[in-house]
Amino acid sequence: MCKLAIDKTWVASLLAVSLAVPGNSFLPFTHNASFAGEISQTNQPEIAPDGKIVPVNGKVNVRLTNKTNDRLFYQVAGQTNRRSLAENSTVALPALTLPASIVFRRPDGALLKPSLKPVGEGTVEVRLDETNDLGLDKTSLRIRNDGGLFLR
């Protein structure tokens, strides 16, 4: 009988190579996208909303008010096309289905500082002002099913 001396580091290296080969069914569990996503979601702290609105029948009303001296572009993802809003004017976005995401931009890419103001039941006003502070620049509003408002 022949005895071979097997170095433990050699076995570990062989195992690591076999795990790294594409298509190998013995991939580490972190390569399972759904499981990795569950881990990252549970390890993230809950982000406090910037505001809250009480939805009415799963819908909300949003008023966009452009307080800048330039027109803006905005769009409700999946609910409207891209539209423009003239300087110093307001537009009503009635009965938005939740969850909703509204993006807004200035044509020249200048910075925007949105602020939230509750107006009435199921309605919030988003005032869009000019700013020079990059830390205050936000270009979207996300509204969750529970009415949580998130400016990003």
Side-chain angles (χ1 to χ4, degrees), residues 3-126:
K3 291 186 179 182
L4 293 173
I6 299 178
D7 183 66
K8 290 180 184 177
T9 58
W10 179 81
V11 172
S13 297
L14 180 63
L15 180 60
V17 168
S18 68
L19 290 175
V21 173
N24 192 326
S25 63
F26 295 99
L27 293 175
F29 72 91
T30 56
H31 287 340
N32 181 333
S34 64
F35 186 71
E38 290 173 19
I39 291 173
S40 67
Q41 289 176 1
T42 57
N43 290 337
Q44 293 178 354
E46 179 68 25
I47 299 171
D50 297 303
K52 185 87 170 150
I53 187 172
V54 178
V56 177
N57 298 324
K59 297 184 184 289
V60 297
N61 303 309
V62 175
R63 280 193 342 209
L64 284 181
T65 300
N66 180 359
K67 301 300 283 180
T68 72
N69 292 317
D70 196 5
R71 84 184 152 119
L72 301 175
F73 292 106
Y74 68 94
Q75 181 173 0
V76 182
Q79 297 185 51
T80 70
N81 292 325
R82 186 175 106 158
R83 300 174 178 173
S84 66
L85 179 59
E87 58 272 5
N88 297 306
S89 63
T90 299
V91 65
L93 301 170
L96 298 179
T97 304
L98 297 183
S101 292
I102 306 169
V103 293
F104 28 85
R105 304 244 192 278
R106 292 175 68 180
D108 60 0
L111 307 179
L112 284 171
K113 180 181 102 176
S115 59
L116 303 171
K117 178 183 170 191
V119 176
E121 185 178 12
T123 303
V124 66
E125 179 181 17
V126 182

